[in-house]
Amino acid sequence: MDLLISFIPVVVMIVAIVGFKMRGDIAGCIGWVLTVLIAFAIFNTSFEVSLLATLKGALASMAITGMGFFALLQITFMQETGALARAIVAIKTLAASNKPCQIMLLNVVMGTGLVSVGATPAIILPPIMLGLGYSIGMSIALPCIGYDSLCTFAMLAAPVVALTDILTGAGFTVNGAAPTVAYCAQYFTNYLPFITPCIAFSMLFMCGGAKLLKEGIVPALITGFGMGGTAWIISRIGFGVVLTGVMSAAVTFCLMFVYMKIRKIPLVDRSHLSDEDKEVEKTMPLWKALSPWALLIFFCVITNFVTPLYDLLYKGPLEMRIILWNGDAGQPMRVFWQAYFWVLVSTLLGSIIIKPKKGAWGSIIKKWNKRWLPPTLSSIVYFCIAYVMMYSAYAPGADGVWAMADPSKNIISLWANSAAAAFGWFYPIANGFLGLLAGFVTGSEASTVALFAKYNLISADLLGLNPVVVIASGGVAAGLASVVTPVKLQQAAASLDAVGEEGAVLRTVLPYAVVLVTMSVILSQVFAVTISV
């Protein structure tokens, strides 16, 4: 009964968004209230603990929330100054005569490259897709699903780095040594040569049915195997793992270029430009229009690969670790390292290059103010729900240190242990669907890995399964959930001034997400019994 009750907030949110077309942020707030009440009434969690857990969840969400918040400012700035229109005209020429190639290059190749350095394709790409003539629904859905298979390597491989830290902290070893980032990455990349082509197929079918899928099957295979195969190779080489998304995108772009040359499909085709497009070209040089994005990529690279700068911003006093209670490990904020800070910096510096007209900033701020609240609230509240669940059944002891009084009264522990008990040897399959559920709630693969890793280790050990495969099964599924999470869908909708459309998109894409996760969990089961630690 406790297990069934624990699912009530998630079921209510899904029904509210899908069935009643409720905005994701409002549904999330309702879900948070229900989670706190259930944690108190059923899982012996005081309101004080739930509120502090909520605050910790809000702080933990800042990496994603901040990106959405400032990325919306950046895209609004580019729209109002004409920079985005100029960029769209340039992108219109990219594989303009071949829709499948255009979809693959923009949403999979470009989307993965952007997200891997900390940018937000769910905000950047929808206005571009709409400008290219795609419907609002497809302009939201395609960017949200395009980078899903390599979501593990988003934000400089944050989910893999987080898992490596968790395994090391738990004392997990490989041949007597702590696991490396490359070692953990291999467990995720095992899926990619299978899953990435399927994502490419689903995008074409979603956009144009069987006809577009038949037309684009070769570009989809090249993109899928190019992205997935490159990631698989990089994890085996073990060098540059945090830049897997960038390198996979670069290799795949080259493969697509060769294919298009062979098929005599122009990579750049200006024949589709209208007279209006040609007038837009005259308003601004392309380099100037793209300067905010170029600056963002530059700053993300140097803050991660210039070691002294990385050490300064990531560690020490600038780590800005906030501790909320006795025994709390704390939440490192790392404001000056986070990508969202550099989105703001790149926007401000970009304004010096682009030089908006007098009064433009007033219009930019006014339009941004209409956009940022719903997706920002969504991003925060779904993290808060996850953290209330994670700290359910915790209580402060005499020394003020929090401890879990009864593991059976912790919601995440209950989910993991119930799945292990019910499915036994087939636990990787159940855990994959738990990952889909957690990905829906948090909107983040990294947070899903953090939520379940400890319990996955315990359950996998009891069942004699490879624990890293089990953890990866949930992580991959959470990455595939990007296309159904209210946080990302609402961010994409906000960039089009179409908040409220996310419910319709969710109804469209949910079957695709379920099918893709089903394929991933079948692979998980195979990997769990065939791959040794």
Side-chain angles (χ1 to χ4, degrees), residues 303 309-315 318-319 334 336-337 342:
T303 53
L309 186 58
Y310 173 81
D311 290 341
L312 174 66
L313 301 178
Y314 192 86
K315 305 173 183 178
L318 291 182
E319 183 189 47
R334 301 184 178 113
F336 300 111
W337 172 79
W342 296 107

Side-chain angles (χ1 to χ4, degrees), residues 136-155:
I136 289 178
M138 287 300 102
S139 296
I140 293 172
L142 293 176
C144 287
I145 195 173
Y147 68 93
D148 276 6
S149 66
L150 269 72
C151 193
T152 304
F153 300 97
M155 297 178 70

Side-chain angles (χ1 to χ4, degrees), residues 238-263:
F239 177 76
V241 173
V242 295
L243 281 178
T244 294
V246 173
M247 290 188 282
S248 297
V251 169
T252 305
F253 178 83
C254 292
L255 293 174
M256 286 290 288
F257 177 75
V258 171
Y259 164 76
M260 293 171 71
K261 274 288 187 183
I262 293 172
R263 289 289 312 278

